[in-house]
Amino acid sequence: MREILPALRHWYAQSAPFGLATVVGVSRSAPRDPGAAMAVGPDDEVVGSVSGGCVEGAVFELAQEVVESGEARLETFGYSDDDAFAVGLTCGGEITLLVRPVTPERDPTFGAVAETVLDGRPVTVATVTDGPAPLGATLAVWPDRVAGTLGTGGLDAAVTADARGELALGATGVRHYGPRGERREDDVSVFLHSFAPPPRMLVFGAIDYAAAVARVGDFLGYRVTVCDARPVFATPKRFPPGVEVVVDWPHRYLRATGTDERTVICVLTHDPKFDVPLLEVALRRPAAYIGAMGSRRTHDERTKRLTEAGLTDGELSRLRSPIGLDLGARTPEEVAVSVAAEMVALRWGGSGTPLTATRGAIHPQS
């Protein structure tokens, strides 16, 4: 959704109706996660994707129909063994889409939501997907305010509370309620789409490998900061546009910087006087991933120093060192790919094994 918002905001500002299809449910080997979106706007312009090409043609027609009728639609696409020519997912999974018309009159909160997301601020959009409530009705929930309605005050209140909880976690998914927000009922299905600020990637050591890792991090959607105590290396011109470059001692910068369970920390300084004080701080902070560059000998020496500094076995077990997966990488760009691969595998519980050597579902249900 983030990628297509600039186009949607432009159409919305021009009061040009568009059909917005959002993945609200998946099962088995579905190609896209909940929240993936596709829209059809003026002159049949298409942005985004909901299946990587399997059902986009059918969704294109659905989007046109909902704009014409003004009524939202809930549709499920899956693989059909009975009809090989049916519109469906060739991967064998199943996706459920909510396709709804969007105009300033039908969705007066959309413009504010788009602005919030593009500014990197948090908001959750709650949308009715099924049950005795207006299909496609939306409620936008910010940390300090709400806008819109799902039909009843009780439902709005219950969803607002849950939406703020999901927003704190950056979580997206379907919740169930009674028509007036009763929590022990499941008549009404509401899709909570959380737009948390992008996670941070902190890269320490302004070397060639750092430039490549920063580039991959930016591509993956992280808000990237590169920090080095040496001004001659920590210059913005050496890094991709949009990457923040900070001149400071790494441990001092990290101590003054907030991290959370989504933060990625890559220690590429490869120098004990930087690495050890920095990792003392990092391994005691919340983070999704902490990796450090160096040979196995460097790792052993670094571990010894960190143990002498008082870090526990549990804290040391969080360190991914030597950094990255074994891809045989040589160049800075190849090393950056191996680091990114390890980050993704750790995030989703992947093994790093070639898929040709595995069995079962490619995307196991969590």
Side-chain angles (χ1 to χ4, degrees):
M1 177 68 87
R2 291 181 189 274
E3 290 75 15
I4 69 174
L5 269 179
L8 304 191
R9 183 170 65 169
H10 174 72
W11 294 341
Y12 188 85
Q14 301 298 316
S15 295
F18 59 90
L20 177 61
T22 305
V23 178
V24 297
V26 301
S27 68
R28 301 190 303 278
S29 299
R32 300 297 303 274
D33 290 327
M38 167 182 160
V40 179
D43 301 320
D44 293 336
E45 182 180 354
V46 178
V47 293
S49 172
V50 291
S51 74
C54 297
V55 302
E56 268 68 7
V59 176
F60 175 83
E61 294 180 359
L62 273 173
Q64 291 179 313
E65 291 173 10
V66 301
V67 169
E68 181 68 24
S69 68
E71 301 292 333
R73 297 263 299 273
L74 189 70
E75 297 285 345
T76 296
F77 295 91
Y79 184 78
S80 172
D81 291 323
D82 297 328
D83 183 359
F85 295 98
V87 174
L89 301 179
T90 56
C91 62
E94 185 176 276
I95 60 172
T96 299
L97 305 175
L98 178 70
V99 189
R100 64 186 183 93
V102 179
T103 64
E105 294 74 29
R106 291 191 178 100
D107 190 350
T109 68
F110 187 88
V113 168
E115 182 178 353
T116 297
V117 176
L118 291 173
D119 286 347
R121 293 179 284 120
V123 64
T124 294
V125 179
T127 308
V128 174
T129 60
D130 199 11
L135 183 65
T138 60
L139 178 73
V141 181
W142 288 267
D144 58 350
R145 63 190 174 98
V146 299
T149 182
L150 303 181
T152 68
L155 183 57
D156 289 348
V159 170
T160 295
D162 288 346
R164 287 185 172 140
E166 299 289 80
L167 187 58
L169 299 173
T172 288
V174 175
R175 291 286 192 103
H176 303 281
Y177 307 87
R180 297 177 182 81
E182 300 90 340
R183 295 185 179 277
R184 295 189 179 183
E185 299 182 23
D186 59 2
D187 298 328
V188 180
S189 299
V190 179
F191 180 64
L192 302 181
H193 193 176
S194 296
F195 295 93
R200 296 200 67 184
M201 171 184 277
L202 305 177
V203 181
F204 295 96
I207 60 177
D208 288 347
Y209 291 95
V213 169
R215 191 174 300 112
V216 170
D218 181 64
F219 174 76
L220 291 175
Y222 287 90
R223 182 163 64 93
V224 183
T225 298
V226 175
C227 174
D228 198 304
R230 301 163 295 184
V232 67
F233 296 117
T235 59
K237 67 181 180 181
R238 300 184 66 229
F239 297 94
V243 170
E244 179 187 29
V245 179
V246 174
V247 179
D248 199 351
W249 278 83
H251 71 282
R252 184 169 61 191
Y253 174 78
L254 182 58
R255 190 176 290 127
T257 299
T259 63
D260 60 26
E261 287 73 13
R262 300 185 302 151
T263 302
V264 165
I265 299 173
C266 298
V267 179
L268 311 180
T269 44
H270 203 229
D271 185 331
K273 69 174 178 290
F274 294 123
D275 291 357
V276 174
L278 171 59
L279 288 170
E280 280 188 63
V281 178
L283 292 170
R284 290 168 171 155
R285 300 286 295 275
Y289 175 90
I290 303 171
M293 177 176 281
S295 66
R296 298 193 188 281
R297 178 180 176 182
T298 298
H299 170 72
D300 291 341
E301 293 176 351
R302 190 162 45 208
T303 300
K304 179 181 178 182
R305 289 172 182 259
L306 290 169
T307 300
E308 292 171 350
L311 271 78
T312 66
D313 290 344
E315 290 167 337
L316 290 170
S317 69
R318 301 177 62 204
L319 179 60
R320 317 291 289 193
S321 174
I323 196 170
L325 294 186
D326 180 13
L327 305 182
R330 294 291 187 273
T331 68
E333 291 74 19
E334 290 173 344
V335 170
V337 170
S338 79
V339 172
E342 185 176 42
M343 287 162 43
V344 172
L346 185 63
R347 177 181 179 185
W348 296 110
S351 66
T353 305
L355 289 172
T356 54
T358 65
R359 296 291 183 269
I362 296 175
H363 304 293
Q365 288 184 311
S366 57

